[in-house]
């Protein structure tokens, strides 16, 4: 669910929009929000979508159309897209600059003979982070690949809608500022998003050079819908008696969406926060995949930890007020924040354990490894039980155990500021294998030979097995029963359950 591959220039969480700019932007965004409703049912959108799909059929991997005999058809499809953008633009006044630039980029691509597309100008003009108003929509058309989907830079078209409830706006304006974070709902889309992809990142767009990226978006409706379907099935299979709050998440898509927004806004900013020995995502570097496992888990556990702290603070105030102490009661926004802080904790645990652990291949699956690690850590500390073929948690003890794992990763990072890179890698491996059992064939587990230890980092990475930490017997059994459910979530939307 994370923005793990989103390369960013600058601090993702420092600074906010100027107040006058923000209020003016919000007013303009709100004015355009209603006019874009039901655009997905118009003839213009249907023609744009069909033309994009037709272009995909004649593009090659880099997005170009090298076959001259296909150029007449390609020009007709581009003309259809351009006409549709003109027709639809009045419904998206907040995106006027972007849509004009998109038309120019499409026309230049056609005029240039359909070489590798360059949509730099329209990408720079697209600034959804300036319109974080709940319900506002965007028309998005780019040649781009889709993470966890297609690696082809085909023309893709989407209609998306912002999810930005007031309690999230207040969190972002306070201790959890992240001016680049955009939360979206999928309304309609071309086949590149009929996949597992749940992100919209600017670096996926075909462009001549890399600009300073100013936003990154996650489709919280897809994340929430996947969570609800997978957790519902897994809890039934494992005979887990869900707490009432956790059960509510499975019955309410909008509640789950808002919970995932809170999780992700804290997760995303964490990539740039803390005592970090390196910046894992701004610097292009090749590392053993378990390093990415720990980084993603660190961010998720920070979201968990912060949610525990928010819960404790707000509950204490609510209880003090109820006891007659002279403190202000929680207002409606604070009450909603408290509600979702509790729900984030369940979401992190169940999504990590039930979905992440068994989703995807066993080839360097860093999210899968993070889920395995969380499960085993809780099990070995006696707060998670798999007894008589039923799963159970000691919920009162779970927060401290999860925070302890977070502390262990934070300690690894802090100590590694003073370590060479490969020594950090070895220490990270030791942290993981203290809880998870490595593959019996692992060279890392047996001890890397001197020629690797004394050689370049590439030797270390090459020695890591594709499945360095195989699934436990618990997860092997769960995977077999859950595979059809996991596969059914490909392309899922928020209204599919």
């Amino acid at each position: 669910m994370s923005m793990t591959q989103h390369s960013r220039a600058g601090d993702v969480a420092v600074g906010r929009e100027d107040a006058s700019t923000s209020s003016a932007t919000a007013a303009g965004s709100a004015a355009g929000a209603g006019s874009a409703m039901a655009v997905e049912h118009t003839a213009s959108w249907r023609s744009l979508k069909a033309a994009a799909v037709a272009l995909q059929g004649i593009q090659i991997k880099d997005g170009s159309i090298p076959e001259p005999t296909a150029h007449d058809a390609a020009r007709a499809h581009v003309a259809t897209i351009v006409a549709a953008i003109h027709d639809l633009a009045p419904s998206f006044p907040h995106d006027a600059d972007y849509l004009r630039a998109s038309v120019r980029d499409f026309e230049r691509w056609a005029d240039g003979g359909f070489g590798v597309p360059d949509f730099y100008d329209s990408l720079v003009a697209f600034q959804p982070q300036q319109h974080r108003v709940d319900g506002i929509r965007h028309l998005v058309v780019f040649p781009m690949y889709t993470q966890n989907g297609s690696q082809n830079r085909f023309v893709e078209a989407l209609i998306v809608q912002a999810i930005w409830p007031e309690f999230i706006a207040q969190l972002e304006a306070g201790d959890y500022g992240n001016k680049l974070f955009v939360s979206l709902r999928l309304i309609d889309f071309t086949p590149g998003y009929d996949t597992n992809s749940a992100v919209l990142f600017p670096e996926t767009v075909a462009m001549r050079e890399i600009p300073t990226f100013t936003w990154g978006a996650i489709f919280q409706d897809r994340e929430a819908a996947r969570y609800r379907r997978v957790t519902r099935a897994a809890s039934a299979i494992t005979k887990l008696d869900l707490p009432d709050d956790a059960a509510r998440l499975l019955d309410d898509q909008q509640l789950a969406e808002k919970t995932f927004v809170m999780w992700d806004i804290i997760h995303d900013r964490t990539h740039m926060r803390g005592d970090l020995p390196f910046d894992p995502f701004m610097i292009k570097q090749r590392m053993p995949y378990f390093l990415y496992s720990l980084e993603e888990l660190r961010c998720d556990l920070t979201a968990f930890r912060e949610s525990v702290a928010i819960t404790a603070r707000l509950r204490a105030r609510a209880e003090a007020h109820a006891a007659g102490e002279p403190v202000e009661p929680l207002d409606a926004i604070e009450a909603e924040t408290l509600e979702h802080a509790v729900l984030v904790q369940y979401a992190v645990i169940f999504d990590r354990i039930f979905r992440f652990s068994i989703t995807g291949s066993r080839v360097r699956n860093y999210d899968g490894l993070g889920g395995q690690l969380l499960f085993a850590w809780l099990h070995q500390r006696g707060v998670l039980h798999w007894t008589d073929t039923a799963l159970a948690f000691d919920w009162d003890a779970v927060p401290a155990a999860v925070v302890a794992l977070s502390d262990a990763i934070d300690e690894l990072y802090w100590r590694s500021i003073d370590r060479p890179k490969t020594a950090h890698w070895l220490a990270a491996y030791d942290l993981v294998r203290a809880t998870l059992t490595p593959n019996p064939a692992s060279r890392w587990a047996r001890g890397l030979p001197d020629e690797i230890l004394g050689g370049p980092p590439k030797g270390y990475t090459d020695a890591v097995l594709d499945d360095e930490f195989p699934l436990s017997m618990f997860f092997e059994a769960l995977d077999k029963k859950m595979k059809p459910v996991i596969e059914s979530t490909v392309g899922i939307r928020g209204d599919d359950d």
Side-chain angles (χ1 to χ4, degrees):
M1 69 175 289
S2 60
M3 298 163 67
T4 56
Q5 300 301 321
H6 185 35
S7 305
R8 284 160 284 195
D11 191 333
V12 299
V14 176
R16 300 174 185 88
E17 294 176 19
D18 174 79
S20 60
T21 301
S22 179
S23 60
T25 297
S29 298
S35 63
M37 293 302 162
V39 161
E40 67 273 22
H41 301 301
T42 64
S44 295
W45 164 250
R46 290 194 294 269
S47 66
L48 191 160
K49 185 178 175 182
V53 172
L55 281 171
Q56 293 177 7
I58 54 179
Q59 289 179 277
I60 64 172
K61 186 179 180 65
D62 64 7
S64 65
I65 304 174
E67 180 53 55
T69 58
H71 286 184
D72 285 345
R75 288 189 185 91
H77 298 318
V78 166
T80 297
I81 290 174
V82 166
I85 292 174
H86 281 303
D87 289 344
L88 296 170
S91 295
F92 304 92
H94 45 284
D95 288 330
D97 291 344
Y98 156 65
L99 295 174
R100 282 193 292 268
S102 180
V103 166
R104 290 193 297 268
D105 281 345
F106 270 108
E107 291 176 339
R108 186 175 64 251
W109 183 43
D111 292 343
F114 296 103
V116 176
D118 168 24
F119 277 61
Y120 175 94
D121 293 347
S122 53
L123 176 62
V124 170
F126 185 51
Q127 299 291 334
Q129 82 287 355
Q130 295 178 3
H131 309 284
R132 295 191 295 190
V133 176
D134 198 43
I136 195 168
R137 291 187 171 197
H138 301 278
L139 171 64
V140 184
V141 191
F142 286 114
M144 59 183 174
Y145 68 84
T146 55
Q147 289 183 344
N148 300 313
S150 169
Q151 290 301 303
N152 301 313
R153 275 199 165 91
F154 289 169
V155 173
E156 302 286 355
L158 306 91
I159 298 172
V160 299
Q161 183 177 44
I163 307 173
W164 199 249
E166 189 172 352
F167 86 94
I168 291 294
Q170 288 202 9
L171 283 172
E172 198 280 331
D175 294 335
Y176 303 101
N178 189 338
K179 64 180 182 178
L180 280 74
F181 180 81
V182 179
S183 179
L184 296 175
R185 178 181 294 115
L186 282 161
I187 302 300
D188 201 7
F189 46 84
T190 44
Y193 276 92
D194 195 17
T195 60
N196 280 318
S197 184
V199 298
L200 176 63
F201 289 163
E203 62 264 39
T204 64
V205 174
M207 53 190 156
R208 62 182 178 271
E209 60 184 271
I210 305 298
T212 297
F213 296 133
T214 57
W215 58 273
I218 302 179
F219 294 112
Q220 308 293 350
D221 64 322
R222 176 162 287 178
E223 295 283 11
R226 287 195 295 209
Y227 171 83
R228 293 174 59 229
R229 182 175 294 180
V230 170
T231 302
R232 185 183 296 117
S235 60
I237 289 169
T238 60
K239 306 173 190 174
L240 174 64
D241 185 15
L242 287 170
D244 290 343
D245 283 332
R248 285 198 302 128
L249 272 178
L250 306 188
D251 296 329
D252 190 329
Q253 172 68 17
Q254 290 191 351
L255 185 70
E257 288 176 3
K258 293 177 183 178
T259 299
F260 273 76
V261 177
M262 183 172 178
W263 171 358
D264 277 342
I265 196 170
I266 301 174
H267 170 114
D268 186 58
R269 72 192 298 277
T270 303
H271 282 305
M272 303 298 297
R273 300 289 190 200
D275 296 307
L276 308 181
F278 57 90
D279 182 344
F281 299 116
M282 282 180 63
I283 300 172
K284 301 290 186 182
Q285 54 183 310
R286 186 167 180 251
M287 300 186 298
Y289 76 93
F290 53 81
L291 270 297
Y292 294 100
S293 300
L294 292 176
E295 172 61 10
E296 282 301 300
L297 191 57
R298 180 183 76 91
C299 295
D300 281 344
L301 299 186
T302 298
F304 184 99
R305 176 201 293 270
E306 292 299 310
S307 295
V308 169
I310 291 169
T311 298
R313 173 172 55 82
L314 293 179
R315 272 185 177 165
R317 207 176 100 207
E319 290 168 359
H321 175 77
E325 296 182 24
V327 297
E328 291 291 322
L330 300 185
D331 61 27
I333 299 301
E334 289 170 323
E336 190 173 12
T337 303
L338 172 58
E339 176 185 33
H340 287 88
V342 172
L343 296 175
V344 165
Q345 297 169 55
Y346 292 120
V348 169
I349 289 173
F350 293 138
D351 214 26
R352 272 282 172 186
I353 287 175
F354 288 146
R355 185 168 71 85
F356 282 46
S357 296
I358 54 177
T359 297
S361 75
R362 298 305 303 166
V363 177
R364 298 180 294 279
N365 187 337
Y366 58 85
D367 273 338
L369 177 57
Q372 295 169 241
L373 179 59
L374 177 60
F375 178 94
W377 179 278
L378 297 179
H379 178 246
Q380 291 167 26
R381 278 149 187 81
V383 300
L384 178 157
H385 309 278
W386 176 243
T387 306
D388 299 333
T389 66
L391 188 64
F393 290 82
D394 294 336
W395 287 112
D396 289 343
V398 164
V402 175
V403 170
L405 178 54
S406 178
D407 287 341
I409 299 173
D410 286 347
E411 174 77 3
L412 168 75
Y413 275 40
W414 180 81
R415 288 187 175 278
S416 292
I417 291 171
D418 303 314
R419 289 171 172 151
K421 178 164 61 176
T422 50
H424 169 60
W425 293 2
L426 292 167
Y429 188 85
D430 286 342
L431 187 157
V432 177
R433 78 165 169 181
T435 300
L436 293 179
T437 302
N439 192 310
S442 170
R443 299 175 72 187
W444 276 70
R446 292 197 301 270
L448 296 175
D450 287 347
E451 59 267 24
I452 290 180
L453 293 174
K458 182 179 184 299
Y460 288 72
T461 303
D462 289 347
V464 178
L465 296 175
D466 283 347
D467 195 10
E468 183 69 30
F469 294 93
L471 291 175
S472 66
M473 288 188 284
F474 171 85
F475 278 119
E476 279 194 351
L478 183 63
D479 181 44
K480 290 177 183 177
K481 294 182 179 180
M482 286 293 296
K483 191 175 291 294
V485 180
I486 298 290
E487 291 174 350
S488 77
T489 65
V490 173
I492 196 171
R493 310 182 197 215
D495 58 1
D496 284 350
D497 265 10

